[in-house]
Amino acid sequence: MNSRPGRRTIIEPFKIKMVEPLRMHSRDVREAALRQSGYNLFQVPSETVTFDFLTDSGTTAMSSNQWAAMMQSDESYAGSRSFFRFEKVLQDLTGYSHVIPTHQGRASERLLFGVVIQPGMKVPSNNHFDTTRANIVHLGGEAVDLVIPEGRDPTSLHPFKGNVDLAQLEAFCAQHRDHIPLGMMTVTNNSGGGQPVSLENLRGASAIFRKYGIPFILDACRFAENCWFIKLREEGQQHRPVLDIARELFSLADGAMMSAKKDALVNIGGFIVLKSGEWVEKLRASLILTEGFPTYGGLAARDIEAMAVGLLEGLDEDYLAYRVATSRYMAERLEKIGVPVVQPPGGHAVFIDAKRFLPWIPSHQFPGQSLVVELFLHDGVRTCEIGSVVGGKWVEGTFVPAPMELVRLAFPRRCYTQSHFDYVLEGMEEIVGRKDQLRGLRLLNDPPVLRQFTARFEPLEP
Ligand code: F0G
């Protein structure tokens, strides 16, 4: 366990061997960067950022064991030793036979959906992540979110807010069974606030998909954090090793896609793993066409080595205890200083409820983006909006907002220390003291897909 039971202080369960300077800039520098980037934090140079909580994806600090494994990689074009090592780790972990490396999560999505989705088909899930949805829609399919109602309520304290609504899922499968090429579950549920799915719910979903003959594929980006929450919160799971829980989780599905940039603790990488060989030939053909030979899939073998080590390090219980304690600490402190957050906090991130924090800013003026801009201006903290910038749209002259207006502070793995988090909290407290000065923004363009990356804004005058 992380530190001794009963201790208040969260300790990082590692010591530091290599350091990277934190950049401290003036507000003027940040103001200029914002103006140039159209007030979109995806567009500012990272040189102007001090604390980068934009994403937990690909931002992990790797371990000495990962770097050591990278040095031992076999960079052969075909049949690399590194691939076989990686394949074995995944086969042992998931119980699936077929392992297809890809360069990241959305490459896995594009490949798999490319093989199974025809126009008019529907893919149910708890919540699809935005690249998952975009890849389904791109092929003429429909991505359907069936998370439980508590998963849409930022104040609900349900322990497994990532659960799918099993009654709705059953009805959906019964009605559309011939048009569902696969069913999914995202663990943890990123779009819903990094919320976990219980084993019980996964068992239920698995039974429904099996009943209707629908293959069940996990979006397993944050499977280790999900399994840690199962250990902490699900009845009867406390004494099980988290690795054991992970094996059961995978056994309930027919395969998984993963962006290894999350719980496999690497900066780049992903994969598809499948129980059955049915889709494998087509997938490998597609992989060769656009990603690379099946034993490297668009990666260097050294990246594959780092994934093989990272997948198991990500299941280390001291690491997971510290990881989840960090987001809990941030959530508790934020609430204490008057910043409402989605409860309970997720694993990889804390989501601020911007609608409650800035209630005078209407959705079409993006309260979340307003806070994102302020956090950056004040202390160089980069975060991202997950609200109406991502999901709102104009329909016949009326703005239909996203269900929630959230700001995500996603925590890179093993990067920042306790004092960094305390410093950020101090700055947040200063913002709370003058939050009534915050105003919304006007959207200047409307990119057709994944708007958050390229949208441009201008601040509204007080
Ligand atoms: N699925 C989930 C649940 C994700 O969170 C992500 C990425 C992907 C798929 C796609 O993976 O980026 O490797 O192509 N999430 C990142 C984030 C970008 O910031 O939450 P990718």
Side-chain angles (χ1 to χ4, degrees):
M1 291 294 290
N2 180 41
S3 73
R4 284 204 231 146
R7 285 281 170 90
R8 260 191 331 274
T9 310
I10 301 169
I11 60 161
E12 294 80 17
F14 46 80
K15 55 182 183 167
I16 295 163
K17 185 173 266 179
M18 195 189 286
V19 296
E20 186 182 338
L22 273 188
R23 294 161 288 254
M24 314 289 264
H25 290 289
S26 68
R27 191 179 168 100
D28 289 349
V29 169
R30 292 194 286 268
E31 241 158 27
L34 272 178
R35 268 196 307 274
Q36 269 171 20
S37 68
Y39 294 82
N40 182 338
L41 275 290
F42 282 101
Q43 300 292 329
V44 302
S46 68
E47 281 292 317
T48 60
V49 176
T50 304
F51 299 100
D52 206 345
F53 299 153
L54 185 67
T55 177
D56 63 320
S57 182
T59 50
T60 299
M62 290 209 297
S63 68
S64 51
N65 279 336
Q66 285 175 296
W67 285 107
M70 287 173 80
M71 294 302 289
Q72 292 174 2
S73 67
D74 167 10
E75 299 294 344
S76 303
Y77 187 93
S80 156
R81 180 181 69 232
S82 302
F83 171 75
F84 295 119
R85 177 175 182 203
F86 170 67
E87 182 182 51
K88 182 159 186 332
V89 167
L90 273 173
Q91 287 169 339
D92 286 351
L93 170 64
T94 64
Y96 307 145
S97 311
H98 307 280
V99 175
I100 297 165
T102 62
H103 79 270
Q104 66 181 88
R106 69 199 74 179
S108 307
E109 292 162 0
R110 192 184 61 76
L111 287 163
L112 186 63
F113 296 149
V115 168
V116 301
I117 291 186
Q118 306 288 329
M121 286 185 165
K122 296 171 194 297
V123 181
S125 185
N126 44 357
N127 278 124
H128 292 275
F129 181 65
D130 52 11
T131 59
T132 324
R133 180 181 313 283
N135 271 292
I136 293 171
V137 170
H138 182 69
L139 291 162
E142 191 188 339
V144 182
D145 295 335
L146 299 174
V147 74
I148 54 171
E150 292 88 336
R152 298 178 207 270
D153 173 3
T155 61
S156 159
L157 289 172
H158 192 291
F160 291 103
K161 289 170 77 171
N163 283 356
V164 71
D165 185 321
L166 292 172
Q168 274 193 29
L169 182 66
E170 167 100 46
F172 186 84
C173 291
Q175 193 184 349
H176 302 289
R177 63 198 303 173
D178 297 334
H179 297 98
I180 305 177
L182 53 84
M184 293 186 67
M185 285 278 255
T186 311
V187 295
T188 57
N189 189 22
N190 186 6
S191 313
Q195 300 293 333
V197 181
S198 71
L199 266 185
E200 192 191 7
N201 191 255
L202 285 161
R203 289 190 197 112
S206 174
I208 293 170
F209 290 133
R210 206 168 323 118
K211 176 171 161 190
Y212 293 97
I214 298 166
F216 176 18
I217 305 295
L218 294 166
D219 178 340
C221 292
R222 300 180 181 85
F223 76 98
E225 290 171 9
N226 198 98
C227 292
W228 181 250
F229 280 120
I230 288 174
K231 184 177 166 102
L232 290 183
R233 296 182 186 167
E234 192 159 350
E235 216 183 309
Q237 301 299 322
Q238 282 68 43
H239 302 292
R240 266 177 104 180
V242 81
L243 175 61
D244 207 40
I245 298 174
R247 289 200 170 113
E248 181 176 348
L249 174 134
F250 286 111
S251 78
L252 293 167
D254 300 301
M257 290 188 273
M258 178 158 172
S259 165
K261 299 167 74 172
K262 284 82 171 176
D263 277 358
L265 306 181
V266 291
N267 305 123
I268 194 73
F271 53 83
I272 302 170
V273 273
L274 294 166
K275 207 178 263 178
S276 138
E278 193 189 334
W279 298 330
V280 169
E281 209 172 304
K282 280 190 183 155
L283 280 171
R284 293 218 164 108
S286 185
L287 187 77
I288 289 174
L289 201 61
T290 58
E291 292 268 311
F293 193 75
T295 55
Y296 73 84
L299 293 163
R302 54 181 171 269
D303 300 321
I304 291 178
E305 290 279 356
M307 278 198 284
V309 176
L311 274 165
L312 298 178
E313 283 184 2
L315 285 162
D316 178 273
E317 300 198 2
D318 282 345
Y319 156 73
L320 284 167
Y322 134 83
R323 171 99 181 127
V324 168
T326 304
S327 10
R328 194 176 53 235
Y329 175 81
M330 287 301 278
E332 278 169 12
R333 292 300 159 112
L334 285 167
E335 286 275 6
K336 213 176 221 169
I337 61 174
V339 183
V341 301
V342 174
Q343 289 290 359
H348 67 295
V350 167
F351 292 71
I352 296 174
D353 184 348
K355 205 192 270 188
R356 272 199 288 151
F357 188 60
L358 306 171
W360 57 91
I361 302 180
S363 285
H364 69 278
Q365 292 175 3
F366 311 108
Q369 191 63 19
S370 167
L371 182 57
V372 163
V373 166
E374 180 61 23
L375 284 167
F376 179 66
L377 268 179
H378 190 66
D379 261 344
V381 178
R382 176 155 72 167
T383 57
C384 79
E385 195 260 14
I386 301 188
S388 287
V389 173
V390 176
K393 49 182 181 288
W394 288 94
V395 181
E396 292 164 9
T398 312
F399 189 76
V400 182
M404 297 193 258
E405 303 293 346
L406 304 179
V407 170
R408 185 179 78 167
L409 280 68
F411 306 126
R413 293 170 179 78
R414 307 190 291 205
C415 273
Y416 295 106
T417 64
Q418 181 68 31
S419 68
H420 294 140
F421 288 113
D422 285 333
Y423 184 89
V424 168
L425 285 166
E426 218 179 304
M428 296 285 284
E429 210 167 347
E430 288 158 10
I431 294 175
V432 173
R434 53 173 177 71
K435 69 169 184 165
D436 55 344
Q437 295 165 11
L438 268 64
R439 294 290 174 269
L441 299 112
R442 180 181 303 122
L443 181 64
L444 299 177
N445 61 346
D446 196 5
V449 284
L450 301 175
R451 178 164 67 194
Q452 65 275 28
F453 296 133
T454 51
R456 294 184 71 81
F457 303 89
E458 88 187 354
L460 292 164
E461 294 306 320

